[in-house]
Amino acid sequence: MSQRIPLAWLQLKHEKMKLFAAVAGVMVSVVLMWMQLGLMKALFASAVVFHGSMNGELVIVHSQYEHLLHSKVFSSRLLYRLRGSPDVSDVFSIYLAPGEWKNPWNGEMRSIQCYGIETDNASLKLPGIEQHLLQLRNTDVFLYDRMARPRFGDVVGAVERREPVELELNRRRMSLAGVVDLGASFGVDGNVLVSHANFLRLFPERKSGEIDVGVVKLMPGISVVSAQKQFQKVLGKEVQVLTVEQFKELELIYWRSATPIGIIFTAGTVVGFFIGFIVVYQILYTDVTNHLPQYATMKAMGFSDGYLYQLVLGQSVQLATMGFIPGSLIAAAMYAGLRKVTQLPLYMEPMRGVFLIFATILMCTFSGMLAVRKLRSADPADVF
Amino acid sequence: MKTDDSKAIITGAGINFSFGQGELRKQILFDVELAIQPGEIVLLTGPSGSGKTTLLTLIAGLRKLQEGRLDVLGHSLHNASQADLLQLRRKIGFIFQAHNLLPYLTALQNVQVMFDLQPDVTIKEGRERATRMLQQVGLGERMNYHVSRLSGGQKQRVAIARALVGRPELVLADEPTAALDGTSGREVVNLLQSLAREQKRPILMVTHDVRVLDIADRIIEMQDGHLTASSRGSSSAENHPAKGVQNEPDIANVTL
């Protein structure tokens, strides 16, 4: 039995305040779910900005490497074996270590992540890095992370005011050559890029050629997977050859287990889901209860249970739609605002949208199905 | 399906019905026997608690028959399935004491909804028939009013339109005048009678409103679960299609 009069919609529309409350409930729920999932994704994404900026397809790290803060060095001589391969366009090496940053304004010491990179070719794909590479070859200069946390001092402000910035890094006088965008994350509050030579000056205990990360840029058209297998064989068990995605995943695996971020935001999403669920359930349940005599009458007249279920579930789907659209618009505005303030990579990703459409419909359908159970108590024999 | 009288649309015999179980078991109907012919307008009267509404719900397929035989519109109700009862109910036009119209619909929409039970009627045809039906019950001017804006009598007239628009084979009415004042009650009953005559629809109406007894072809009285007397109503003197009635004894079924 299909409905030729839009009963579901007419019933929703009949009580405007209730409709408004239900739609607002779904909206709040949708906004919450967007925010929680978006923030979770953004926080994790911020942990792999460095990984994603590799100017190559394969990454080589020590076999015991776990994540950026738990690295182990290996000899860069291993990389020379790859330079001869016709599949390889370029190979870069990167040193990394946490350095001691002295805030030039208040003298506080802070730990900052330092990367020693090659300066004749860009080993990192960061916007604007090329223009600084030449300067970076000078003695005791560094590039600063524009998106580092403010606790390192107002370096960006000084750059904008065109003031020279000089400060102590690992008790060594350094001067600023420019800024790039990398961003803070869980374990890292900010980043500094220096040349290999300057890195070894900053960290005299580190030996030249004992690197942390190797980056391999393949010739165009070379299969990444087969190159990975081949290089792993050539280099042996001391190192692991990873794709950029695997390199990122290794970092994420660590942070997922080391921080409760995943649990917190997943819980937040579930809370959002339940808020919507309960609001919609309440509204539909009272609606069914209020109309019980009418529904019993319809049953008596020969309308099937299915017809009435369809009526209630139709209302749930309509509430889902009406809440989802404005909820998503609000979320988009909040994403834009937060992106500006926190520099977090918050974007309305289509896949998340699809997921949330399903979550919202599921949420409303669940409430509808629960409310519909009340219909069973509409006994058509009672209307007489 | 077998009936004593092949023309009768309702035949029942030996109907016993009780509510409750064990010691709390209370018998409501005792060995009831009845037959209603096509086109007949039959009133079922009696004091409250006499079992007339229970009998009506049994005929309507709203309660499970416990004992006896009951055939309604060709459906044998003994051990009938839910689906079968649903099919039966779709052939019946119901008018209730409380109109129970959907408050969020207009008068017209309330009547139109009935065609969701008859998918072969097109939307256009359904709207036309609903419109005509509402004009017949005198609500042509108020078809697009929400039912909350109609008076009690007007609502009951919408309910009558809703009951008759699907061209039911039988109309069951339960105290349709109970919630109405004398004048509206009279109007509603007259309307019901004239429409039923026009469409040749049989009506079985439960009522204890003595003011409306004159519309009946036949009046059946109930007392303490027994059909006690059946008398010819004042209306039966007029010519009406159910000839069979006149050939039968006035006292159709008297038990215990």
Side-chain angles (χ1 to χ4, degrees):
Chain A
M1 262 190 294
S2 60
Q3 296 169 7
R4 285 178 287 184
I5 292 176
L7 283 184
W9 169 240
L10 290 171
Q11 184 173 342
L12 279 179
K13 203 181 71 166
H14 186 61
E15 286 176 87
K16 301 270 186 320
M17 275 316 290
K18 257 194 199 164
L19 173 62
F20 178 76
V23 170
V26 177
M27 245 166 68
V28 167
S29 160
V30 167
V31 170
L32 251 166
M33 291 195 287
W34 270 112
M35 293 317 292
Q36 300 290 323
L37 290 177
L39 284 170
M40 175 161 72
K41 178 79 188 293
L43 284 176
F44 283 125
S46 70
V48 291
V49 173
F50 168 74
H51 308 65
S53 68
M54 299 285 115
N55 188 17
E57 292 78 22
L58 291 172
V59 177
I60 295 159
V61 289
H62 193 273
S63 54
Q64 286 168 30
Y65 169 95
E66 284 182 27
H67 55 93
L68 281 185
L69 301 184
H70 195 284
S71 174
K72 197 160 178 189
V73 298
F74 63 96
S75 170
S76 63
R77 258 174 297 166
L78 275 176
L79 297 184
Y80 295 150
R81 294 189 196 164
L82 301 182
R83 285 200 197 274
S85 163
D87 297 348
V88 172
S89 149
D90 219 334
V91 180
F92 311 104
S93 40
I94 298 173
Y95 295 86
L96 59 91
E100 281 279 329
W101 168 282
K102 189 174 178 188
N103 184 331
W105 287 274
N106 60 15
E108 275 178 30
M109 303 295 278
R110 294 283 178 198
S111 178
I112 196 164
Q113 185 77 352
C114 301
Y115 298 100
I117 58 169
E118 291 180 22
T119 51
D120 38 359
N121 262 315
S123 42
L124 300 179
K125 284 183 292 188
L126 292 174
I129 192 172
E130 309 246 357
Q131 65 189 55
H132 296 302
L133 285 178
L134 210 60
Q135 284 169 275
L136 215 51
R137 290 182 199 168
N138 296 335
T139 307
D140 292 340
V141 296
F142 68 97
L143 291 178
Y144 180 72
D145 178 4
R146 193 207 313 267
M147 280 146 68
R149 297 202 205 281
R151 58 177 59 149
F152 294 107
D154 188 20
V155 177
V156 176
V159 169
E160 280 166 4
R161 293 189 296 272
R162 297 180 181 280
E163 296 168 12
V165 178
E166 288 212 347
L167 49 84
E168 268 182 37
L169 196 55
N170 273 7
R171 308 200 174 276
R172 199 178 170 89
R173 200 100 202 124
M174 303 282 286
S175 53
L176 181 77
V179 289
V180 287
D181 290 342
L182 260 165
S185 175
F186 305 110
V188 176
D189 291 328
N191 303 283
V192 159
L193 300 181
V194 294
S195 66
H196 280 177
N198 283 325
F199 185 89
L200 293 169
R201 286 188 190 102
L202 283 171
F203 300 91
E205 73 279 11
R206 294 287 297 261
K207 284 185 207 143
S208 175
E210 302 269 276
I211 61 164
D212 293 273
V213 180
V215 185
V216 182
K217 193 177 167 82
L218 297 173
M219 287 301 219
I222 300 298
S223 153
V224 176
V225 181
S226 59
Q228 181 188 18
K229 274 188 197 148
Q230 189 203 330
F231 296 171
Q232 186 71 66
K233 228 179 261 171
V234 169
L235 297 177
K237 285 183 177 167
E238 194 193 340
V239 292
Q240 36 183 338
V241 182
L242 306 169
T243 63
V244 170
E245 278 313 308
Q246 288 169 332
F247 187 40
K248 281 185 183 174
E249 192 51 34
L250 215 54
E251 190 79 16
L252 290 177
I253 285 172
Y254 173 72
W255 290 112
R256 276 192 208 114
S257 66
T259 64
I261 302 273
I263 297 165
I264 289 170
F265 286 99
T266 306
T269 310
V270 171
V271 167
F273 185 91
F274 271 95
I275 289 176
F277 171 77
I278 287 170
V279 171
V280 173
Y281 171 70
Q282 275 295 333
I283 302 260
L284 291 181
Y285 180 85
T286 40
D287 235 25
V288 170
T289 309
N290 289 345
H291 292 116
L292 221 47
Q294 281 85 7
Y295 292 149
T297 304
M298 290 179 80
K299 276 194 193 181
M301 293 189 301
F303 287 89
S304 62
D305 286 355
Y307 182 90
L308 296 175
Y309 288 177
Q310 204 184 321
L311 168 58
V312 178
L313 291 180
Q315 291 182 60
S316 353
V317 174
Q318 286 169 2
L319 287 177
T321 316
M322 281 186 283
F324 184 80
I325 294 165
S328 298
L329 291 177
I330 292 173
M334 287 175 78
Y335 272 22
L338 273 174
R339 211 159 51 216
K340 236 178 172 177
V341 176
T342 65
Q343 322 277 8
L344 279 171
L346 273 169
Y347 295 99
M348 303 285 287
E349 288 170 27
M351 275 313 289
R352 193 179 307 145
V354 170
F355 171 77
L356 285 179
I357 287 173
F358 280 113
T360 312
I361 290 177
L362 197 71
M363 168 181 100
C364 292
T365 312
F366 266 176
S367 345
M369 273 160 44
L370 212 62
V372 133
R373 296 193 316 172
K374 180 75 185 167
L375 270 178
R376 284 195 214 133
S377 59
D379 183 356
D382 288 343
V383 273
F384 277 111
Chain B
M1 181 207 72
K2 273 185 184 173
T3 56
D4 294 342
D5 184 340
S6 58
K7 276 189 284 180
I9 52 157
I10 303 175
T11 56
I15 300 169
N16 287 310
F17 190 86
S18 322
F19 285 114
Q21 297 279 322
E23 298 207 347
L24 294 172
R25 184 180 161 93
K26 186 171 186 300
Q27 188 160 358
I28 304 293
L29 297 178
F30 297 85
D31 195 22
V32 170
E33 198 171 331
L34 84 167
I36 289 175
Q37 306 304 319
E40 245 191 326
I41 297 180
V42 177
L43 295 193
L44 189 56
T45 66
S48 23
S50 60
K52 50 191 194 307
T53 295
T54 305
L55 181 58
L56 201 66
T57 56
L58 283 176
I59 292 169
L62 293 169
R63 286 190 203 286
K64 231 176 143 44
L65 189 65
Q66 291 169 347
E67 218 184 313
R69 189 176 55 73
L70 182 58
D71 294 323
V72 181
L73 301 175
H75 294 254
S76 172
L77 299 192
H78 185 69
N79 287 333
S81 68
Q82 281 302 321
D84 203 23
L85 293 180
L86 203 64
Q87 286 306 319
L88 166 65
R89 298 212 295 269
R90 288 180 189 169
K91 296 182 187 171
I92 298 174
F94 289 95
I95 299 164
F96 308 94
Q97 187 171 339
H99 53 79
N100 288 340
L101 298 169
L102 290 171
Y104 49 86
L105 297 184
T106 63
L108 181 63
Q109 287 165 336
N110 262 293
V111 178
Q112 256 180 294
V113 159
M114 294 308 288
F115 289 111
D116 282 354
L117 292 175
Q118 299 182 6
D120 47 317
V121 177
T122 63
I123 297 179
K124 187 164 168 282
E125 190 192 344
R127 195 186 305 116
E128 284 167 2
R129 271 169 65 181
T131 305
R132 242 179 292 133
M133 197 70 230
L134 281 166
Q135 284 163 348
Q136 279 177 291
V137 299
L139 287 174
E141 306 293 308
R142 287 165 203 263
M143 280 191 300
N144 294 315
Y145 281 37
H146 269 94
V147 289
S148 52
R149 292 176 59 200
L150 299 178
S151 71
Q154 287 167 339
K155 282 178 193 162
Q156 198 57 288
R157 281 194 258 164
V158 176
I160 289 171
R162 178 177 65 173
L164 297 180
V165 77
R167 296 176 184 155
E169 294 172 34
L170 167 69
V171 176
L172 294 180
D174 183 42
E175 307 275 11
T177 60
L180 302 177
D181 63 67
T183 326
S184 323
R186 186 71 243 171
E187 277 172 14
V188 160
V189 167
N190 286 347
L191 186 66
L192 199 52
Q193 185 194 25
S194 68
L195 289 174
R197 287 266 185 269
E198 208 174 289
Q199 302 184 350
K200 300 185 171 53
R201 311 236 177 276
I203 299 180
L204 177 61
M205 186 192 298
V206 165
T207 187
H208 47 230
D209 187 346
V210 291
R211 298 166 301 186
V212 303
L213 295 182
D214 57 301
I215 67 156
D217 298 323
R218 197 148 59 90
I219 298 166
I220 302 175
E221 271 185 56
M222 266 194 109
Q223 200 123 36
D224 299 329
H226 304 270
L227 287 187
T228 51
S230 179
S231 57
R232 191 173 289 175
S234 51
S235 177
S236 59
E238 300 160 22
N239 56 335
H240 70 82
K243 278 185 202 153
V245 177
Q246 269 116 0
N247 302 334
E248 280 178 40
D250 284 347
I251 312 282
N253 305 291
V254 183
T255 49
L256 296 178

